[in-house]
Amino acid sequence: MAQAKISAKASEGAQQQQQPQQQQQAGGQLRGRFYRSTSMADRSSRLLENLDQLELRVEAFRDAASAMEQEKEILLEMIHNIQNSQDMRHISEGEREELNLTANRLMGRTLTVEVSVETIRNAQQQESLLHATRMIDEIVNKLLDDLEDAKMRLLSLYGACTSDVPAGPIDQKFQSVVIGCAIEDQKKIKRRLETLLRNLENSEKSITLLEHQKSAARQSCNSKQD
């Protein structure tokens, strides 16, 4: 009987000792899970922060590449304008040939630089870009037929691309087409129209100057005959 009581107490004592150990083990497991969860959240936060910083650098990289694209276009336009300027027509043949060789060399070196920034478009944006390009090309192909009419039409297209108050009418159809293009394409369309209008203005100045020179020459000839 006494032996049974001793055994019962021993068993009870063992159970009491096991309970704190089990509670300690359970607490350790909970604390371990809690610490792992906190660590994972920290890692996720750091990774997200790194990606945010990289996104800023990627956008800056694309902007820099776009700026290089524009610089290439400007350089080619400037070289072309020099080659076709009135000043080039009023120098000696030898000097003109030498300057053209230099201009061609600079143009060739400029063309060796390849910069391309691809624009991500959906199907609708792609179709809108093709439509806008066709509308501009249609006017460009008829430039020689009627220079003044082509200029007015290009101005109406340009007015549809700018947020400023246009000086003349706006091509509403072209405006709706451009709105459907990607933002980067909208900027490129506007730059193309600006370049075309600048070239037209330079051409008009050259034609006006040439007509003035012809008129002056005719008047000189008439004065000598008199």
Side-chain angles (χ1 to χ4, degrees):
M1 189 67 172
Q3 184 66 34
K5 290 182 179 180
I6 293 173
S7 298
K9 289 183 178 181
S11 176
E12 183 180 354
Q15 289 177 357
Q16 291 176 352
Q17 289 178 355
Q18 287 177 358
Q19 286 178 354
Q21 291 177 356
Q22 290 175 352
Q23 291 175 355
Q24 184 177 5
Q25 290 175 358
Q29 290 176 357
L30 288 173
R31 286 195 297 273
R33 282 199 295 271
F34 176 75
Y35 291 145
R36 282 198 297 273
S37 177
T38 302
S39 178
M40 289 171 64
D42 288 342
R43 291 193 187 97
S44 178
S45 178
R46 286 196 301 270
L47 291 172
L48 181 59
E49 183 178 352
N50 290 337
L51 288 174
D52 288 340
Q53 293 175 355
L54 285 172
E55 183 174 12
L56 294 175
R57 293 182 61 179
V58 167
E59 291 306 314
F61 172 65
R62 286 179 60 86
D63 290 342
S66 296
M68 290 182 66
E69 274 188 327
Q70 296 179 43
E71 179 65 11
K72 180 180 179 180
E73 294 173 3
I74 292 171
L75 288 172
L76 292 174
E77 182 183 353
M78 293 176 68
I79 296 170
H80 176 77
N81 289 339
I82 289 175
Q83 287 182 305
N84 294 276
S85 65
Q86 283 294 322
D87 290 338
M88 288 287 280
R89 298 188 177 95
H90 293 86
I91 57 178
S92 67
E93 185 67 29
E95 290 173 327
R96 183 162 54 249
E97 183 178 354
E98 183 177 351
L99 291 173
N100 272 321
L101 286 173
T102 301
N104 288 331
R105 177 176 60 81
L106 292 175
M107 185 170 290
R109 287 178 60 80
T110 305
L111 290 172
T112 60
V113 179
E114 292 291 340
V115 184
S116 178
V117 181
E118 296 295 331
T119 301
I120 301 174
R121 311 178 186 91
N122 57 35
Q124 181 180 354
Q125 290 171 336
Q126 180 68 28
E127 180 60 31
S128 295
L129 175 62
L130 293 175
H131 192 179
T133 302
R134 284 195 299 267
M135 293 179 73
I136 298 174
D137 290 343
E138 181 183 349
I139 299 175
V140 172
N141 292 334
K142 297 179 180 179
L143 275 175
L144 297 179
D145 297 337
D146 190 339
L147 194 63
E148 187 61 29
D149 178 67
K151 180 181 178 181
M152 295 303 298
R153 293 180 64 187
L154 287 174
L155 282 172
S156 69
L157 297 189
Y158 180 74
C161 297
T162 180
S163 57
D164 299 332
V165 179
I170 296 177
D171 190 315
Q172 300 290 343
K173 180 180 178 182
F174 184 75
Q175 187 177 53
S176 64
V177 172
V178 172
I179 291 175
C181 296
I183 299 297
E184 292 179 356
D185 289 329
Q186 292 180 20
K187 295 178 181 178
K188 290 181 179 180
I189 290 170
K190 183 180 178 181
R191 288 204 306 270
R192 184 188 178 191
L193 290 170
E194 289 173 342
T195 301
L196 287 170
L197 288 170
R198 279 198 306 270
N199 290 338
L200 275 178
E201 184 177 356
N202 292 334
S203 298
E204 287 180 336
K205 289 180 180 179
S206 298
I207 292 172
T208 301
L209 181 60
L210 183 60
E211 290 298 326
H212 176 73
Q213 291 171 344
K214 287 181 179 179
S215 177
R218 284 194 297 268
Q219 291 177 0
S220 177
C221 289
N222 292 335
S223 297
K224 289 180 180 179
Q225 289 175 0
D226 293 340

